[in-house]
Amino acid sequence: EEAGNGHGGLWISMPGDLRSVGYIQDLESQAAAALDLLVHAAAGYVSGSIDEVSVECLDELYETNVRAPYALTRALLPALRRRNGQVVFVNSSAVTSPNAGRRAAYTATKA
């Protein structure tokens, strides 16, 4: 989806699964020419104590909250560098006041 911002700019939104290599490749081809700004705002979340949240669930959170932004940033670096672009990570207040009893897995992957 493309839209103007009213100030001569253009943004592109491509909903998809950040854990998918194909999706990251699609984003890379869309930004091949140049990219001014990459905003990481997506996240996976699960509520539950350590004894309630499975290791498999933690792996999914890791893939979404840690690995995917890393892989996407790495893939888009050439386009960002061409325009001296910037990368913004939107974090969560959960990392500053974690509730280990209910969101330990989420907090561990966002911190």
Side-chain angles (χ1 to χ4, degrees):
E1 175 182 332
E2 295 184 14
N5 67 6
H7 301 286
L10 178 71
W11 58 267
I12 298 172
S13 172
M14 292 181 59
D17 185 354
L18 288 171
R19 296 174 296 167
S20 164
V21 173
Y23 175 71
I24 289 178
Q25 289 171 340
D26 289 345
L27 289 172
E28 185 178 9
S29 67
Q30 287 286 322
L35 182 63
D36 294 312
L37 178 66
L38 171 61
V39 178
H40 290 287
Y45 178 82
V46 66
S47 178
S49 63
I50 291 175
D51 58 340
E52 296 171 329
V53 177
S54 69
V55 172
E56 292 78 18
C57 184
L58 177 66
D59 288 343
E60 289 179 21
L61 290 176
Y62 170 82
E63 287 180 18
T64 303
N65 298 344
V66 179
R67 189 183 186 286
Y70 182 91
L72 182 58
T73 301
R74 188 173 187 281
L76 298 181
L77 273 177
L80 286 160
R81 286 180 173 147
R82 278 192 277 284
R83 306 254 314 192
N84 199 25
Q86 296 183 16
V87 179
V88 174
F89 285 88
V90 177
N91 210 333
S92 170
S93 61
V95 303
T96 60
S97 60
N99 178 350
R102 296 305 310 157
R103 54 185 187 217
Y106 171 75
T107 303
T109 61
K110 288 302 282 183

